[in-house]
């Protein structure tokens, strides 16, 4: 009995072969860059000193050398609710893009520089970490390009978890407070691992407008409006949260 002849493998177009080859080369470069020893993203970041009692209650928090309140905590010590709220508000596709979200960036460039409707950021979390870590000015087109290049470099060198941890520890959260750990102590008097949903939503929306949305500010409506908007997104993902809110 004759076996059927296998179907010939289709020949790929030359442009597709080159694209595949480029992808393999870039993946190889990225893998090698991850193997090269690197400094943690927390290096060169001045930190506050925290004094606790025996029950880990905060007694005192000093200013860092740059006059900021800033604590650096590992990602696993940050409330999962807060992490999800931040991703939902800032960059819901964080784990699915490579440093840049082309759709969001294109929309931001169009609205900011072409239609001039209003200034829109379009920055991913990786881009924001690049701006904060390397003190970049990103309001101009040239500055935005430098920010993108730095963000690509960060994603080649560091994992998503490391970049997200850096964002949560560097982001401005009102006045001279940076990072969600310091903000949780200052605003709520508790470790960031123990924040509840309402507190998590608050910390997630402040960074987009720290001066207006900080809980200690005069414009409480700005914070309430932003938090309510994020809560609706949260309820779309977690419908039970709506019932819990109605019971309070």
């Amino acid at each position: 009995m004759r076996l059927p002849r296998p179907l010939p493998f289709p020949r790929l177009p030359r442009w597709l072969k080159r694209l595949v080859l480029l992808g393999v080369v870039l993946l190889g470069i990225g893998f090698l860059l991850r193997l090269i020893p690197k400094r943690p993203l927390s290096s060169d970041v001045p930190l506050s000193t925290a004094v606790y009692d025996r029950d880990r209650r905060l007694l005192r928090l000093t200013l860092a050398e740059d006059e900021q309140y800033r604590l650096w905590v590992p990602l696993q010590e940050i409330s999962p609710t807060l992490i999800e709220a931040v991703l939902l508000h800032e960059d819901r596709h964080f784990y699915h893009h490579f440093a840049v979200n082309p759709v969001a960036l294109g929309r931001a460039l169009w609205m900011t520089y072409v239609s001039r409707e209003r200034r829109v950021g379009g920055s991913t979390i990786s881009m924001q970490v690049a701006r904060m870590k390397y003190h970049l000015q990103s309001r101009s087109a040239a500055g935005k390009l430098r920010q993108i290049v730095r963000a690509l470099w960060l994603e080649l060198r560091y994992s998503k978890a490391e970049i997200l941890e850096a964002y949560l520890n560097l982001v401005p959260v009102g006045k001279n407070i940076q990072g969600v750990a310091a903000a949780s102590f200052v605003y709520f008097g508790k470790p960031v691992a123990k924040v509840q949903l309402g507190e998590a939503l608050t910390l997630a929306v402040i960074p987009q407008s720290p001066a207006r949305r900080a809980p200690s500010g005069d414009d409480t409506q700005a914070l309430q409006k932003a938090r309510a908007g994020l809560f609706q997104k949260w309820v779309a993902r977690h419908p039970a949260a709506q019932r819990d809110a109605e019971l309070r």
Side-chain angles (χ1 to χ4, degrees):
M1 180 177 178
R2 267 188 191 179
L3 294 175
R5 296 179 61 183
L7 295 174
F9 189 80
R11 298 188 62 180
L12 298 177
R14 183 176 299 178
W15 66 268
L16 186 55
K17 291 180 180 179
R18 291 177 178 175
L19 187 62
V20 171
L21 179 61
L22 178 62
V24 172
V25 171
L26 290 177
L27 285 173
I29 292 174
F31 179 75
L32 290 174
L33 285 174
R34 288 286 179 89
L35 294 179
I36 299 173
K38 57 184 180 292
R39 301 179 70 184
L41 289 170
S42 59
S43 63
D44 302 324
V45 176
L47 301 175
S48 301
T49 299
V51 181
Y52 305 92
D53 65 12
R54 65 179 63 185
D55 297 319
R56 292 296 294 172
R57 289 189 296 252
L58 183 71
L59 298 176
R60 184 166 176 258
L61 186 66
T62 67
L63 286 168
E65 293 178 2
D66 58 354
E67 300 298 315
Q68 300 289 314
Y69 288 107
R70 187 190 299 107
L71 294 172
W72 193 287
V73 296
L75 188 63
Q76 59 268 26
E77 294 182 16
I78 298 175
S79 161
T81 300
L82 174 57
I83 293 174
E84 185 177 352
V86 167
L87 291 173
L88 184 61
H89 188 61
E90 288 288 343
D91 190 354
R92 67 179 64 190
H93 302 294
F94 174 68
Y95 286 106
H96 304 107
H97 62 63
F98 186 75
V100 177
N101 183 333
V103 175
L105 186 61
R107 182 173 61 248
L109 291 173
W110 176 267
M111 296 181 69
T112 302
Y113 298 107
V114 181
S115 67
R116 299 186 182 274
E117 295 177 39
R118 59 190 177 92
R119 181 173 288 276
V120 178
S123 295
T124 61
I125 283 178
S126 300
M127 291 171 66
Q128 293 183 61
V129 171
R131 176 177 51 79
M132 294 184 290
K133 177 68 177 175
Y134 302 114
H135 308 290
L136 303 175
Q137 298 296 328
S138 58
R139 289 187 172 272
S140 66
K144 184 65 69 175
L145 180 59
R146 285 192 292 270
Q147 184 185 17
I148 291 171
V149 170
R150 286 286 194 173
L152 291 168
W153 175 250
L154 282 176
E155 293 240 7
L156 285 170
R157 294 285 280 146
Y158 297 90
S159 68
K160 288 285 189 179
E162 289 172 308
I163 293 171
L164 181 57
E165 178 181 294
Y167 173 84
L168 292 166
N169 283 290
L170 293 174
V171 68
V173 205
K175 296 186 176 179
N176 60 335
I177 306 169
Q178 290 192 357
V180 295
S184 182
F185 277 123
V186 172
Y187 295 141
F188 310 126
K190 63 173 65 174
V192 71
K194 296 183 178 181
V195 297
Q196 301 300 311
L197 176 58
E199 297 160 339
L201 297 176
T202 296
L203 294 178
V205 301
I206 293 174
Q208 284 193 350
S209 184
R212 297 182 60 228
R213 296 179 182 174
S216 55
D218 298 329
D219 190 358
T220 57
Q221 289 186 348
L223 173 59
Q224 292 172 357
K225 182 178 179 181
R227 187 169 53 190
L230 180 55
F231 180 65
Q232 292 307 311
K233 295 178 183 178
W234 184 274
V235 167
R237 184 175 291 185
H238 303 281
Q242 183 69 61
R243 296 195 298 270
D244 294 341
E246 290 171 352
L247 293 174
R248 293 194 188 109

